[in-house]
């Protein structure tokens, strides 16, 4: 049997994470929740425009999609976006299968694929050479997965975006309790003191 190596899509346009995050925020209308993954995705989310419906994951890789799944299931009428780095997603791939099985219609996942663990020194991730994030998502059952394309969706959607290696624009204030409390207020599940 011949050895087949799947190389990630290389014909997609390379974009910039802060620019994309700013464009996403500019399009929001209805207090949509946005969950940023560890590191650059939440730095750029913070810098693009802090709002109470933003949640910033600190510390553990790969939890943006699982947290966003929880929010999407708890509040099915709220649209939820999740931003994650390729390295972080590769560490927590199982969440894709869970999301595919639970089918939250209101969840959109965006993978910022720069092919590196940028924040810890730009070591290459497997997505830079052998692993195709969008193919992995499709294989997990997320049929609505594509490299950067805008489309209206009625199923959980995963969008892979090839991005450049510019560092995050801001730095999120690191106060986990404040982040949690503000997000819960922002989602209307906690009343102000
Ligand atoms: C479970 C776990 N392993 C390792 C780390 C150290 N770490 C923090 S961020 C990071 C790289 C994140 O890479 P990626 O998600 O691709 O985002 P980028 O830095 O490229 O924006 C690593 C290795 C961690 N915080 N948690």
């Amino acid at each position: 049997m011949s050895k087949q190596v799947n190389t990630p899509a290389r014909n997609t346009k390379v974009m910039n994470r802060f620019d994309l995050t700013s464009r996403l925020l500019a399009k929001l209308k209805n207090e949509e929740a946005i969950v940023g993954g560890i590191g650059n995705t939440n730095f750029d989310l913070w810098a693009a425009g802090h709002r109470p419906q933003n949640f910033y994951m600190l510390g553990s890789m790969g939890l943006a999609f699982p947290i966003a799944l929880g929010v999407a299931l708890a509040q099915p009428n709220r649209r939820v976006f999740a931003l994650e780095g390729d390295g972080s997603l590769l560490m927590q791939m199982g969440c894709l299968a869970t999301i595919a099985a639970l089918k939250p219609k209101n969840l959109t996942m965006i993978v910022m694929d720069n092919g590196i663990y940028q924040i810890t020194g730009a070591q290459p991730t497997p997505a830079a050479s052998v692993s195709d994030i969008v193919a992995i998502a499709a294989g997990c059952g997320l049929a609505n997965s594509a490299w950067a394309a805008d489309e209206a969706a009625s199923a959980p959607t995963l969008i892979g975006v090839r991005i450049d290696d510019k560092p995050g624009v801001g730095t999120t204030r690191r106060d986990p309790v404040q982040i949690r409390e503000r997000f819960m207020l922002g989602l209307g599940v906690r009343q102000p003191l």
Side-chain angles (χ1 to χ4, degrees):
M1 205 162 83
S2 67
K3 187 165 178 274
Q4 195 182 351
V5 177
N6 296 318
T7 46
R10 286 276 171 245
N11 56 350
T12 47
K13 192 178 160 200
V14 174
M15 299 180 234
N16 175 263
R17 183 181 45 241
F18 178 66
D19 176 54
L20 287 170
T21 309
S22 302
R23 282 162 52 195
L24 170 64
L25 260 78
K27 282 184 176 291
L28 300 180
K29 292 190 189 84
N30 298 313
E31 302 197 340
E32 297 89 338
I34 309 185
V35 180
I38 181 174
N40 286 303
T41 50
N42 86 61
F43 289 175
D44 278 346
L45 175 59
W46 176 277
H50 173 62
R51 44 199 283 287
Q53 297 83 15
N54 292 355
F55 184 82
Y56 311 91
M57 182 59 216
L58 305 177
S60 293
M61 295 168 72
L63 292 188
F65 290 1
I67 291 168
L69 170 63
V71 175
L73 293 176
Q75 299 196 340
N77 294 326
R78 189 187 297 271
R79 184 118 188 252
V80 182
F81 293 92
L83 314 175
E84 189 64 288
D86 55 308
S88 294
L89 180 60
L90 286 168
M91 183 164 275
Q92 189 65 268
M93 291 200 258
C95 71
L96 297 176
T98 304
I99 293 165
L102 293 176
K103 298 187 176 54
K105 288 189 171 67
N106 51 333
L107 175 60
T108 300
M109 295 158 276
I110 300 171
V111 185
M112 300 290 187
D113 181 3
N114 52 12
I116 50 178
Y117 302 98
Q118 183 173 15
I119 212 151
T120 50
Q123 304 86 352
T125 72
S129 50
V130 292
S131 304
D132 184 321
I133 297 283
V134 168
I136 291 168
C140 284
L142 291 166
N144 212 4
S145 299
W147 286 102
D150 292 325
E151 51 189 330
S154 60
T157 299
L158 183 139
I159 303 169
V161 188
R162 299 281 304 165
I163 59 161
D164 60 30
D165 62 355
K166 295 238 170 46
V169 167
T171 308
T172 313
R173 203 179 317 136
R174 299 183 75 83
D175 185 336
V177 174
Q178 189 188 52
I179 289 172
R180 186 198 62 204
E181 291 298 308
R182 207 170 29 204
F183 188 58
M184 291 180 78
L185 277 170
L187 297 195
V189 293
R190 178 155 300 183
Q191 297 307 312
L193 289 172

